[in-house]
């Protein structure tokens, strides 16, 4: 591997690792300040890895996190901040549940239909922010925040009993979906079932990497995110790329709720998971918008979620499970700071290396007045 490639790998890994170490250190300080053992909570949570039911729960939760984080990452690669993933996936899940309840097709048709409905709903909701940005210059941050609130109101209206709502005890649901729309999973005995849609999430990650790194569209998207003016000068329609990126981000966001909808609950209700989109922002940051990095970050985040309840039952001293939430928040802060620090460090190293090469080339060619080597280094 070339020296330059090794440095790129080092820079990619250094930020998340530093963030995790800093988060653990600061969480330990919080524990010490509260008079608690700063090591035992980590030991208790790590012990949960050996339990098969925690493993299943972690994988299932990570699948949802992964899809949502991919949606956020697409926006990040375009220099867009799609805060609306939360509203997009909840609205998509609700609409998909309604369609799955009122439409009955054979499974080979029903499941693709539900996937298409979820993606189209998410893309439509994100597309509103994309159109506002490209036609009126409205910040996608403002637009998506407002659309989250509107999505909540739309969901509340559509789940009224007079519309598509079906009361079940104290809960308001959309009714049980047709069984042909249930996505088969992998049974793990008493440990539960791994959602089959987790493998769809893996496929989405592969496609994300291929499209962004092996297609002209992916190059145009990354180039536009780096500099819209430069991309426009090379013939790329920047506004169209912004709208396309928002549509793709929304479409992937629409899939985020399907692992649990098609694999477990089979209905949308008031107890359907919320806040997934905001968690995905931290996961995308920790994973540095890389599909493998996002996968590792999603597994870490899901593990902290599922292992932290064990802290409540620790003996002789119980720990608050919110310790995991503190750690997650510190990871987000630390990853932003560490990534910027690592980026600046890498930039300084690159500048110093170029300076050294220029100086060496100048010394080698100074006697005969040949500046070709100097020009070559400067061009690199």
């Amino acid at each position: 591997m070339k020296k330059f490639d090794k440095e790129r790998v080092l820079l990619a890994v250094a930020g998340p690792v530093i963030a995790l170490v800093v988060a653990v250190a600061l969480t330990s300080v919080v524990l010490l300040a509260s008079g608690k053992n700063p090591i035992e909570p980590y030991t208790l949570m790590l012990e949960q890895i050996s339990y098969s039911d925690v493993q299943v729960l972690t994988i299932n939760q990570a699948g949802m996190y992964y899809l949502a984080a991919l949606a956020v990452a697409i926006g990040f690669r375009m220099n867009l901040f799609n805060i609306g993933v939360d509203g997009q996936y909840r609205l998509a899940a609700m609409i998909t549940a309604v369609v799955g309840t009122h439409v009955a097709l054979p499974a080979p048709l029903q499941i693709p239909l539900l996937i298409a409905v979820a993606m189209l709903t998410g893309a439509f909701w994100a597309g509103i922010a994309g159109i506002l940005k490209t036609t009126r210059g409205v910040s996608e941050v403002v637009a998506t925040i407002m659309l989250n609130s509107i999505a909540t109101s739309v969901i509340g209206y559509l789940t009224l009993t007079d519309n598509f709502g079906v009361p079940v005890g104290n809960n308001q649901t959309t009714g049980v979906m047709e069984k042909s729309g249930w996505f088969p999973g992998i049974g793990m005995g008493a440990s539960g079932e791994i959602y089959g849609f987790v493998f769809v999430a893996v496929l989405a990650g592969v496609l994300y990497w291929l499209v962004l790194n092996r297609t002209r569209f992916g190059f145009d998207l990354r180039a536009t995110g780096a500099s819209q003016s430069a991309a426009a000068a090379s013939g790329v329609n920047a506004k169209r790329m912004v709208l396309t990126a928002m549509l793709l981000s929304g479409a992937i966001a629409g899939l985020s709720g399907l692992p649990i909808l098609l694999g477990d609950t089979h209905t949308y209700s008031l107890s359907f998971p919320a806040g997934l989109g905001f968690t995905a922002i931290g996961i995308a940051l920790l994973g540095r918008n890389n599909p493998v990095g996002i996968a590792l970050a999603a597994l870490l985040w899901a593990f902290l979620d599922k292992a932290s309840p064990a802290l409540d039952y620790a003996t002789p001293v119980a720990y608050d499970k919110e310790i995991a939430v503190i750690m997650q928040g510190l990871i987000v802060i630390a990853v932003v700071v560490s990534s910027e620090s690592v980026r600046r460090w890498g930039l300084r190293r690159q500048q110093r290396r170029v300076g050294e090469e220029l100086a060496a080339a100048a010394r080698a060619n100074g006697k005969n007045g040949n500046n070709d080597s100097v020009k070559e280094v400067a061009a690199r």
Side-chain angles (χ1 to χ4, degrees):
M1 183 183 291
K2 296 180 180 179
K3 181 179 179 181
F4 178 70
D5 292 333
K6 290 181 179 179
E7 288 188 358
R8 289 185 63 183
V9 173
L10 176 62
L11 292 175
V13 174
V17 171
I18 293 173
L20 185 58
V21 171
V22 170
V24 171
L26 292 178
T27 305
S28 299
V29 172
V30 173
L31 289 168
L32 282 172
S34 60
K36 300 289 183 67
N37 188 318
I39 303 299
E40 187 177 14
Y42 307 122
T43 304
L44 292 171
M45 286 193 290
L46 288 175
E47 288 176 354
Q48 303 304 306
I49 296 178
S50 61
Y51 297 112
S52 57
D53 57 338
V54 175
Q55 295 170 4
V56 171
L57 291 172
T58 299
I59 292 173
N60 289 339
Q61 188 69 28
M64 297 179 64
Y65 283 161
Y66 188 64
L67 287 168
L70 283 181
V72 174
I74 291 174
F76 281 163
R77 296 303 293 266
M78 257 298 296
N79 202 23
L80 296 171
F81 201 28
N82 182 11
I83 298 183
V85 168
D86 199 69
Q88 292 152 21
Y89 98 85
R90 288 188 294 111
L91 183 62
M94 191 277 297
I95 296 296
T96 303
V98 170
V99 173
T101 302
H102 294 85
V103 177
L105 297 173
L109 298 177
Q110 183 82 345
I111 292 177
L113 171 65
L114 298 180
I115 292 175
V117 168
M119 294 183 71
L120 289 173
T121 303
F124 168 75
W125 208 245
I128 296 174
I131 291 174
L132 288 174
K133 182 174 181 64
T134 54
T135 60
R136 293 291 182 266
V138 178
S139 169
E140 75 279 3
V141 175
V142 176
T144 51
I145 288 175
M146 298 308 297
L147 284 168
N148 280 341
S149 299
I150 295 173
T152 301
S153 299
V154 170
I155 291 170
Y157 172 75
L158 292 178
T159 53
L160 291 175
T161 306
D162 293 338
N163 296 318
F164 299 105
V166 178
V168 177
N170 294 326
N171 204 354
Q172 190 74 4
T173 76
T174 54
V176 179
M177 300 169 61
E178 296 288 339
K179 287 191 175 182
S180 59
W182 296 14
F183 204 99
I186 300 177
M188 303 299 291
S191 300
E193 182 180 84
I194 296 176
Y195 300 152
F197 216 85
V198 169
F199 299 98
V200 176
V202 174
L203 177 61
V206 174
L207 292 175
Y208 167 87
W209 184 87
L210 288 174
V211 170
L212 259 65
N213 297 283
R214 291 293 184 267
T215 66
R216 172 60 187 270
F217 170 79
F219 174 79
D220 289 345
L221 188 145
R222 289 183 285 113
T224 307
S227 173
Q228 290 193 19
S229 58
S234 63
V236 178
N237 188 325
K239 289 187 176 181
R240 184 174 64 188
M241 292 303 300
V242 168
L243 179 58
T244 303
M246 286 300 295
L247 290 173
L248 285 175
S249 180
I252 301 300
L255 295 176
S256 304
L258 296 193
I260 188 171
L261 177 66
L262 303 186
D264 185 14
T265 64
H266 308 302
T267 186
Y268 186 92
S269 66
L270 298 177
S271 58
F272 198 82
L276 186 68
F278 299 105
T279 301
I281 296 173
I283 294 174
L285 287 171
L286 182 59
R288 296 181 64 84
N289 302 323
N290 179 282
V292 176
I294 292 173
L296 297 176
L299 285 169
L300 172 62
W301 223 272
F303 170 72
L304 291 174
D305 282 345
K306 301 307 177 182
S308 59
L311 299 177
D312 282 339
Y313 307 103
T315 55
V317 178
Y319 295 86
D320 297 326
K321 63 180 180 180
E322 283 73 22
I323 290 172
V325 179
I326 294 173
M327 184 181 295
Q328 289 169 344
L330 290 173
I331 287 174
V332 174
I333 297 173
V335 75
V336 173
V337 176
S338 63
S339 295
E340 179 62 19
S341 300
V342 169
R343 186 191 68 82
R344 294 185 179 182
W345 174 75
L347 182 60
R348 287 195 298 269
R349 280 183 59 86
Q350 184 179 7
Q351 291 171 341
R352 185 166 58 250
R353 185 173 62 250
V354 171
E356 292 172 352
E357 291 178 359
L358 283 171
R363 287 193 299 269
N365 297 281
K367 293 182 179 181
N368 55 16
N370 183 6
N371 292 324
D372 290 344
S373 298
V374 178
K375 292 178 180 179
E376 182 181 347
V377 173
R380 293 205 302 267

